[in-house]
Amino acid sequence: MFFEEGWTPLSEITADVFRRLQVLRADKKIGRGQGSLGAILAVSVWDICEATTKLGATAPDGTVVSASKDLVLWADPTNLSNEHVNLRTGSVGSTELPDAHGELPDTETQIARYGPFLNLPLVIPINTYQSSVGYMAEEVREDLSQDTALIDGARTILSMVEAGELVTREIAKVRIGTALTRRKFKLAWAMAAAKRPDLKTPNRWQGL
């Protein structure tokens, strides 16, 4: 709610994207195969997070402290939470993603992990957001139901899993190459994860 000029809170970005998607759906401007509104929202906001060159956290005195983009790397691109943050809440440690044991981190773990930065609101440069949201409106109009590149990307990820290979986002991106946009790679991962739920495992991006 309070932040430095030139920055916009992650929670407000998520709320704004949701409103825009609701309008697009009401106007029948969301293409076939895009998924549920919640999934489109998650993919869209994670895509904005990935596009940003800077991430910050708003300190209690209102200043922005630089933060690692690791905080906003998706685990499941259709889920609004990763290991560190829930996009609707937008603050450090607001995750609602259970760990490998099906549990959320307790307060003691959160304090040890984030120290004085726990619960600070995350912010992104407003120009990054404005640029990304324009592309989003075009991308969600696409009919993905017969997108062969997307389907082939999902098959590639599945084949890697079935072959027993180490499958992380970066490894899969290299294998797929330039056939998919950043957004469509997330959708391909989600398609593959629908058949192999272990692809949604927290911290998979680290190769764990």
Side-chain angles (χ1 to χ4, degrees), residues 13-23 37-38 41 88:
I13 287 173
T14 304
D16 185 51
V17 169
F18 185 51
R19 288 190 292 268
R20 289 171 184 263
L21 291 174
Q22 286 178 311
V23 171
L37 197 62
L41 173 63
R88 286 188 182 276

Side-chain angles (χ1 to χ4, degrees), residues 93-109:
S94 59
T95 180
E96 294 180 5
L97 181 69
D99 62 20
H101 304 290
E103 299 178 353
L104 292 174
D106 57 29
T107 302
E108 184 178 345
T109 299

Side-chain angles (χ1 to χ4, degrees), residues 43-136:
V43 169
S44 298
V45 181
W46 291 127
D47 210 48
I48 291 167
C49 290
E50 191 171 341
T52 189
T53 55
K54 293 191 292 184
L55 179 71
T58 302
D61 64 357
T63 59
V64 173
V65 180
S66 294
S68 169
K69 283 187 64 178
D70 284 358
L71 291 171
V72 290
L73 291 174
W74 51 271
D76 172 0
T78 62
N79 190 325
L80 287 164
S81 274
N82 68 0
E83 298 89 347
H84 305 286
V85 60
N86 178 286
L87 295 175
R88 286 188 182 276
T89 306
S91 59
V92 178
S94 59
T95 180
E96 294 180 5
L97 181 69
D99 62 20
H101 304 290
E103 299 178 353
L104 292 174
D106 57 29
T107 302
E108 184 178 345
T109 299
Q110 294 280 65
I111 291 173
R113 181 178 297 166
Y114 305 114
F117 300 98
L118 179 62
N119 298 324
L120 294 186
L122 291 170
V123 289
I124 285 174
I126 193 167
N127 57 353
T128 297
Y129 171 59
Q130 291 172 339
S131 174
S132 295
V133 80
Y135 290 113
M136 179 203 76

Side-chain angles (χ1 to χ4, degrees), residues 151-161 165 167 172 175-176 192:
I151 294 168
D152 287 346
R155 285 175 176 162
T156 296
I157 295 169
L158 281 173
S159 68
M160 293 171 67
V161 174
E165 299 180 43
V167 185
R175 183 69 60 85
I176 292 170

Side-chain angles (χ1 to χ4, degrees), residues 173-194:
K173 284 176 183 176
V174 170
R175 183 69 60 85
I176 292 170
T178 59
L180 297 178
T181 63
R182 189 177 60 229
R183 182 188 183 90
K184 285 187 178 179
F185 175 79
K186 294 178 181 65
L187 295 172
W189 189 280
M191 287 176 66

